[in-house]
Amino acid sequence: NAERRKAENDALRVALGRLQGSVTELAPFAVAGRLPGVSVAVVAARGVAEAPVRASVSLLQQAGARAPGFVWREAAWAADGPEALGKLTNAFPGPESSARARGLAVLAARVSDPGARDFSAALTGGIVRFESVGTTSSSIDDWGGPNTRLLVVDGPGAKLGVQNWTVELARAAVGARIATEVAEVFTNAPDGTERGATLRPIHQAADLGVVSTVDNLDLIEGRIAAVLAMADLGRGVSGRYGYGRDATRSIPPLPES
């Protein structure tokens, strides 16, 4: 019986692998033309797996979006101690007690207006880091701009402490009238954190109902959902997508004709 179960499990894993491969091959066709010329800025929390973030940016590009890469929010955002606070205050001048809040406001402003604030100190100080994605080398100067939409990536693996800076960044972006989506790269955590838990504070915030969420960016179907949800934001439509218990659908529905 044990050998039979093992054989059955092995066969299921092979079948699942083939299915995932087929979905991956179909993904570019599923998103083709959904974001023609749309600027999308991607911000990821350091500590989440990099591969799904890069794959998401690549899929946005295949959908026609102008998405040259992504910005890491480094662990310094949540670090304690005088050195970390000194870096934040140097990058975002003002009282130490509100340095993080100022930084999030600057980051949100930078999404839609590259000339809004000087971002150089945040880059040189290790507060943020830009990663280019694609065959064409890009820089932070190519990231963001007028009418840019925002994709924020978080997850259980993020090294940003217990403070939910993703909520505050989403709130700053919504306040700046930036169409915003938050996605989770899920990993099995030792404490048993369930899929979608990272996004729950977004769902519980009454002022963030316009923010779309995707709880399975670690999977190809989640990356497809993220692109389709980003397209829907352009029509003023938001939703909760994925496989977690807070999701209402696995993928956005076809727009009504």
Side-chain angles (χ1 to χ4, degrees), residues 31-95:
V31 304
R34 295 303 184 106
L35 293 165
V38 175
S39 177
V40 179
V42 180
V43 179
R46 177 66 78 179
V48 301
E50 182 172 345
V53 182
R54 285 188 169 274
S56 297
V57 175
S58 294
L59 200 59
L60 286 165
Q61 293 171 350
Q62 292 174 62
R66 185 173 67 82
F70 63 97
V71 165
W72 282 118
R73 280 188 298 151
E74 299 289 1
W77 284 98
D80 293 320
E83 183 178 354
L85 285 174
K87 284 184 177 182
L88 285 166
T89 305
N90 181 60
F92 313 114

Side-chain angles (χ1 to χ4, degrees), residues 1 11 18 48-49 55 72 84 96 99 102 110 114 120-121 132 136 174 176 194 198 207-208 218-219 229 231 255:
N1 286 341
R18 287 174 178 166
V48 301
W72 282 118
E96 284 189 352
R102 286 196 308 279
R110 174 61 181 75
S120 58
S132 178
T136 302
V174 169
E194 65 178 328
T198 305
D207 58 335
L208 297 180
D218 46 295
L219 304 173

